[in-house]
Amino acid sequence: MLPRFGLPVLCLAALIPALAAAAPEREFPSEEGMLSVRTLAEGLKHPWALAFLPDGKGMLVTERPGNLRLISSEGQVGPPISGVPQVWATGQGGLLDVALSPTFKIDRLVYLSFAEGGGEGGTAGTAVGRGQLSADLAHLDDFKVIFRQLPKLSNGYHFGSRLVFDRDGYLFIALGENNDRLSAQDLDKLQGKVVRILPDGQVPKDNPFVGRKDARAQIWSFGHRNQQGAALNPWTGEIWTHEHGPRGGDEINIPKPGKNYGWPLATHGIDYSLMPIPETQGKHVDGMVDPHYVWEKSPAISGMAFYDNPRFNAWQHNLFIGALAAQSLIRLKLEGDAIVHEERLLGPLNARIRDVRQGPDGYLYLLTDAEDGALLKVGLEP
Amino acid sequence: MLPRFGLPVLCLAALIPALAAAAPEREFPSEEGMLSVRTLAEGLKHPWALAFLPDGKGMLVTERPGNLRLISSEGQVGPPISGVPQVWATGQGGLLDVALSPTFKIDRLVYLSFAEGGGEGGTAGTAVGRGQLSADLAHLDDFKVIFRQLPKLSNGYHFGSRLVFDRDGYLFIALGENNDRLSAQDLDKLQGKVVRILPDGQVPKDNPFVGRKDARAQIWSFGHRNQQGAALNPWTGEIWTHEHGPRGGDEINIPKPGKNYGWPLATHGIDYSLMPIPETQGKHVDGMVDPHYVWEKSPAISGMAFYDNPRFNAWQHNLFIGALAAQSLIRLKLEGDAIVHEERLLGPLNARIRDVRQGPDGYLYLLTDAEDGALLKVGLEP
């Protein structure tokens, strides 16, 4: 004989997967209206970056320990995709950014940035490579490294990094300085640089330091600290980057060829110990470019997305940036290139936000940095 | 002793090149304001197409007899660029369209369409190839044919053709039916088709007729007559094409994969002799796609440009098309994809307009079809 409440209990159990798929929606107030936040996926290990596949096939998500996974638009998390390179998963190192080739539909190339070991004395550096995603989305074939940050100087700190293609098809890589401050000013090292290469890793002939013996030809701009954000401004076609300051001095820059963005000679920040940075001469140094926008108190920024989708008109011409220490999503209102207003969103979530992207459906997609990290889908209520 | 008026005469002579450079500006009324028209260059032999080089380096212009020339932004006409293929310059045949690779800055590839001889009984067909433009802009290197319209069926008529890349990097080729009407319905022939290929000429695996034995895999859509216009709609990312009807029935289409656009079974036109087209069943035939827009009286359209530059706001969201027989520039006002208004411009010029493009400076650039053809720059007076 069946227990008295057997049938209702069975019914509830059958409903659980459906409930998980239609995850609970939370609401948070904002200046532009009520935000709706849906948790699409959980249990991601320090997820770092996401890239949308075309044709509604979902997105590729990196986890810092070294896995690349397919997550469907509904949030179903796939097994690790094979063919991903061995990464140096120590400290801030591991599998970092992911970007699709601008002609992904034709070449199916997926670009990854990651920390790679093998440096002197056990050090590591950032590397970038590409492989071809198989038709069944299960493996990356023929993965090849096309860029290495040399020398390798990191003991676990400041690998950057973000990958972004400009409209002409050049690949920009925003790098960290491996916590080796003065290397950011050394043109013979690839630390603390924005780099510009061809999709196969070759050096464009019109890079600013081509032909100089004392400089590496991949360099586009220098004097950067730890860059974890880069995006193409859809209204101007320019690449924007941002970087962590030390204590204070997180910056947004619009890197121009051959220019010096100051670190560590010019910064608004001080050392974590509250002492001045030994090499710093001031907030402004002649011949170096001031930040386009600066935070005196560091939110610890990561990921960035320009919003240009017609779905939520109130967000048009806004720039969204994740914040780790500040545990919020930063909304910056733009007028032309000028940032005229800042708002901090989603504070009550208490989540370290590692990446933010605009989805093809016009929603914002966030990754939270945690041992049990989540993929969030954020919209504005009507 | 100098003749009495020697000095003034010499001064005038010295001024002539300057006068030619600052060509006289003519004005023509239009619904959106006064049009200014400047003749940038003259003496072009049946110019057919133009493509702007990046960085203000001017434009590449084809002349139907077989020359490709660099014309500077100020209108200085360069000598023929070497390395262009031999063309079949008979009737409507010759050197036709020109397009730059979407990653031209990286690969310097220039694509050309042209009539190519070698068919049975002295016939010709359209071909497409690409070569690398040298740094000094003087020659095309390593030109290779990547597409051939087979079989070759033209005695001098209806080669099309226009080349356009979509946002994913696929190359679309809008073709004519070589005046062989029923070939437009024959999937085993490349006449009267829109074709979609990879930049190196290979066939994308998701083309609609891949794997069908009775069809050529390059075909995207069919049932077209003589297409001399194709452009990427910048607001939707879709490819738009247009085609000449016979007497009546010029059409704009938004070709979808695998669809039949009707020629010669469905058309609004009749024969030049005023008799019905023998194969025509009517203006609409079930299973075939009606034109997106149709002219009952043929302007004989060629070239097309969507206007999305902020320079002349009154032209925003308009589509411009050249007209040969109607000797005018056609302006079509769009609301979404719908064409809600038509205006004919520049009638008093009495010029056959072969091509129209939006320049990087926001002006419209036109080519007039004549033995002594011109390059015109058209703007709106403030």
Side-chain angles (χ1 to χ4, degrees):
Chain A
M1 189 189 161
L2 280 171
R4 193 167 173 182
F5 295 107
L7 195 58
V9 168
L10 279 172
C11 286
L12 255 181
L15 275 172
I16 286 173
L19 284 171
E25 197 162 286
R26 283 167 292 174
E27 294 185 340
F28 299 91
S30 83
E31 293 172 8
E32 304 294 352
M34 196 59 80
L35 302 173
S36 68
V37 177
R38 214 148 69 86
T39 301
L40 277 192
E42 292 180 296
L44 303 169
K45 286 208 167 162
H46 293 287
W48 216 92
L50 79 161
F52 284 90
L53 293 170
D55 305 324
K57 296 264 171 66
M59 59 209 99
L60 298 177
V61 173
T62 59
E63 292 174 310
R64 205 179 60 213
N67 285 328
L68 178 69
R69 294 180 190 271
L70 176 70
I71 302 186
S72 76
S73 307
E74 293 75 38
Q76 280 188 297
V77 180
I81 292 171
S82 67
V84 167
Q86 181 71 37
V87 304
W88 195 82
T90 303
Q92 298 169 351
L95 186 57
L96 305 172
D97 206 22
V98 54
L100 301 192
S101 160
T103 46
F104 174 82
K105 281 197 176 190
I106 291 174
D107 55 39
R108 300 193 67 80
L109 288 171
V110 174
Y111 290 73
L112 297 172
S113 73
F114 56 101
E116 185 187 54
E120 275 184 52
T123 55
T126 305
V128 175
R130 63 179 189 180
Q132 245 183 338
L133 187 62
S134 63
D136 62 1
L137 312 176
H139 45 101
L140 273 190
D141 294 323
D142 199 24
F143 191 89
K144 283 199 183 74
V145 172
I146 61 165
F147 171 82
R148 284 197 165 92
Q149 190 180 35
L150 296 174
K152 294 171 193 266
L153 297 177
S154 178
N155 295 307
Y157 295 101
H158 302 189
F159 293 96
S161 54
R162 294 289 176 185
L163 305 170
V164 57
F165 286 90
D166 76 0
R167 285 185 191 154
D168 294 319
Y170 295 102
L171 174 59
F172 288 77
I173 311 172
L175 293 161
E177 37 67 297
N178 293 179
N179 201 29
D180 184 288
R181 291 191 300 267
L182 275 169
S183 67
Q185 291 291 324
D186 186 344
L187 292 174
D188 197 29
K189 298 188 173 127
L190 288 166
Q191 277 70 24
K193 307 298 187 299
V194 173
V195 146
R196 176 184 183 245
I197 57 176
L198 300 181
D200 62 359
Q202 290 193 66
V203 175
K205 288 185 195 129
D206 61 347
N207 264 11
F209 297 111
V210 163
R212 265 183 58 170
K213 282 199 179 156
D214 59 337
R216 295 198 187 242
Q218 298 104 321
I219 296 172
W220 177 256
S221 61
F222 64 107
H224 301 285
R225 191 170 174 272
N226 192 24
Q227 301 177 107
Q228 299 198 349
L232 179 74
N233 179 322
W235 306 290
T236 66
E238 288 183 313
I239 303 292
W240 288 36
T241 63
H242 66 56
E243 60 191 73
H244 288 208
R247 184 187 278 262
D250 288 15
E251 303 180 353
I252 296 176
N253 294 301
I254 309 174
K256 299 286 195 295
K259 295 294 184 189
N260 183 352
Y261 289 81
W263 177 255
L265 309 179
T267 177
H268 287 239
I270 57 169
D271 199 63
Y272 291 114
S273 65
L274 297 178
M275 296 294 287
I277 306 286
E279 302 87 2
T280 299
Q281 300 168 17
K283 291 187 176 181
H284 170 81
V285 174
D286 282 350
M288 302 180 191
V289 184
D290 291 335
H292 182 65
Y293 189 76
V294 66
W295 286 267
E296 296 297 334
K297 183 172 187 310
S298 294
I301 49 183
S302 188
M304 75 193 302
F306 290 92
Y307 194 86
D308 68 348
N309 192 289
R311 179 148 209 149
F312 300 118
N313 268 321
W315 285 350
Q316 278 289 343
H317 223 246
N318 280 244
L319 174 62
F320 291 89
I321 293 181
L324 298 161
Q327 300 195 339
S328 57
L329 177 66
I330 298 174
R331 180 179 71 86
L332 299 167
K333 188 172 156 57
L334 301 181
E335 283 178 10
D337 279 351
I339 295 168
V340 296
H341 180 63
E342 174 172 345
E343 183 186 10
R344 304 282 174 102
L345 306 173
L346 304 181
L349 270 183
N350 295 321
R352 290 165 54 83
I353 296 178
R354 173 65 76 189
D355 201 9
V356 50
R357 310 271 176 156
Q358 177 186 284
D361 55 3
Y363 283 83
L364 290 176
Y365 288 77
L366 315 183
L367 292 173
T368 67
D369 175 51
E371 186 61 27
D372 175 12
L375 168 65
L376 308 177
K377 178 178 174 179
V378 182
L380 270 177
E381 308 257 300
Chain B
M1 189 187 162
L2 283 167
R4 195 166 168 182
F5 295 105
L7 195 59
V9 167
L10 280 172
C11 286
L12 255 182
L15 275 172
I16 287 171
L19 283 171
E25 197 162 288
R26 284 167 292 176
E27 295 185 338
F28 299 90
S30 84
E31 293 172 7
E32 303 295 351
M34 194 62 78
L35 302 173
S36 69
V37 177
R38 213 147 71 84
T39 302
L40 276 192
E42 293 179 296
L44 302 169
K45 285 205 168 165
H46 295 287
W48 216 91
L50 79 162
F52 283 89
L53 293 170
D55 305 323
K57 295 264 169 68
M59 60 209 97
L60 298 177
V61 174
T62 58
E63 292 175 310
R64 206 179 60 215
N67 286 328
L68 177 69
R69 294 180 192 272
L70 176 70
I71 302 187
S72 75
S73 307
E74 294 74 38
Q76 279 187 297
V77 180
I81 291 171
S82 67
V84 167
Q86 182 71 38
V87 304
W88 195 82
T90 303
Q92 298 168 351
L95 185 58
L96 305 172
D97 206 21
V98 56
L100 301 192
S101 160
T103 45
F104 174 81
K105 283 198 174 189
I106 290 174
D107 55 39
R108 299 193 67 79
L109 288 170
V110 173
Y111 289 73
L112 298 172
S113 73
F114 57 100
E116 185 187 56
E120 274 184 52
T123 54
T126 304
V128 175
R130 64 179 186 179
Q132 247 184 335
L133 187 61
S134 63
D136 63 1
L137 312 176
H139 45 102
L140 273 190
D141 295 323
D142 198 24
F143 191 90
K144 284 198 182 75
V145 172
I146 60 164
F147 172 82
R148 283 196 167 92
Q149 190 181 37
L150 295 173
K152 294 172 192 267
L153 298 176
S154 178
N155 295 306
Y157 296 100
H158 301 188
F159 292 96
S161 52
R162 294 288 176 185
L163 305 170
V164 58
F165 287 90
D166 75 0
R167 284 185 192 154
D168 294 320
Y170 295 101
L171 174 59
F172 288 77
I173 311 172
L175 293 161
E177 36 67 297
N178 293 180
N179 201 29
D180 184 285
R181 290 190 300 267
L182 276 170
S183 67
Q185 291 291 325
D186 186 344
L187 291 174
D188 197 30
K189 297 187 174 132
L190 288 167
Q191 276 70 23
K193 307 298 188 297
V194 173
V195 146
R196 176 184 183 246
I197 56 175
L198 301 181
D200 62 359
Q202 292 193 64
V203 175
K205 289 186 194 127
D206 61 348
N207 264 11
F209 297 111
V210 163
R212 264 184 59 171
K213 280 198 181 157
D214 59 338
R216 295 198 187 241
Q218 298 103 322
I219 296 172
W220 177 255
S221 62
F222 64 108
H224 301 285
R225 191 171 174 271
N226 192 23
Q227 301 177 106
Q228 299 197 349
L232 179 74
N233 180 322
W235 306 291
T236 65
E238 288 183 313
I239 303 291
W240 287 36
T241 63
H242 66 56
E243 60 190 75
H244 288 208
R247 185 185 278 262
D250 289 13
E251 302 180 354
I252 295 176
N253 294 301
I254 309 174
K256 298 287 195 297
K259 296 292 182 186
N260 183 351
Y261 289 82
W263 177 253
L265 308 178
T267 176
H268 288 240
I270 56 169
D271 199 63
Y272 292 113
S273 65
L274 297 178
M275 297 292 287
I277 306 285
E279 301 87 359
T280 299
Q281 300 168 16
K283 292 186 177 183
H284 170 82
V285 175
D286 282 349
M288 303 181 192
V289 184
D290 292 335
H292 181 65
Y293 188 76
V294 66
W295 286 268
E296 297 298 332
K297 183 173 187 311
S298 294
I301 49 182
S302 189
M304 75 193 301
F306 290 92
Y307 194 87
D308 67 350
N309 192 289
R311 178 150 209 147
F312 301 118
N313 268 321
W315 284 351
Q316 278 290 343
H317 223 246
N318 279 244
L319 173 62
F320 291 89
I321 294 180
L324 298 160
Q327 301 195 339
S328 56
L329 177 66
I330 297 174
R331 180 178 72 85
L332 299 167
K333 188 171 156 57
L334 301 181
E335 283 178 10
D337 279 352
I339 295 168
V340 296
H341 180 63
E342 173 173 345
E343 183 187 11
R344 304 282 175 103
L345 306 172
L346 304 180
L349 270 182
N350 296 320
R352 290 165 53 84
I353 297 177
R354 174 66 75 188
D355 200 11
V356 50
R357 309 270 176 156
Q358 176 185 284
D361 56 3
Y363 284 82
L364 291 175
Y365 288 76
L366 315 182
L367 292 173
T368 67
D369 175 51
E371 185 61 26
D372 176 12
L375 168 64
L376 307 178
K377 178 178 174 178
V378 182
L380 270 178
E381 308 257 302

